[in-house]
Amino acid sequence: MTTFAIDPHKLEELLNYCTGFAKQIVEAHGAFHPFGAVIVSAGTLNAVGADIGEEHPHGADVFLFLQSRMRARFQKREIVAAAIATDVNI
């Protein structure tokens, strides 16, 4: 298994971005579709959204799309970390 060294501060930046943006969207709109962010190999954070070709997609479909794309990018070594934020009521 391949391992990667990543600065823990970068992971914190990734999670802070996702939780901060999620809070903004919930405050403004009350809910949101899944979205994410990644740390690319160069160490920068990039926001990630998904357009799956539907005007009103199911959140689960968006989540699965993001997960699949992020996994593919990780396997190609384009990213070293990823996070997906979802709006969940339990």
Side-chain angles (χ1 to χ4, degrees):
M1 178 166 65
T2 304
T3 60
F4 295 92
I6 185 165
D7 180 353
H9 295 99
K10 286 294 183 181
L11 295 176
E12 184 176 8
E13 179 185 1
L14 183 68
L15 294 176
N16 287 339
Y17 170 80
C18 286
T19 55
F21 187 66
K23 286 178 184 177
Q24 288 178 7
I25 298 301
V26 168
E27 289 171 1
H29 302 285
F32 63 89
H33 281 295
F35 68 90
V38 298
I39 303 291
V40 297
S41 298
T44 57
L45 184 144
N46 292 340
V48 178
D51 180 356
I52 64 171
E54 298 177 21
E55 187 173 346
H56 301 287
H58 294 298
D61 294 335
V62 176
F63 176 87
L64 291 172
F65 178 83
L66 287 169
Q67 182 184 44
S68 172
R69 295 293 300 143
M70 289 176 176
R71 180 179 287 125
R73 292 187 67 196
F74 183 78
Q75 290 171 340
K76 293 178 186 176
R77 299 182 187 269
E78 295 173 351
I79 63 174
V80 294
I84 300 174
T86 61
D87 188 357
V88 178
N89 290 317
I90 297 176

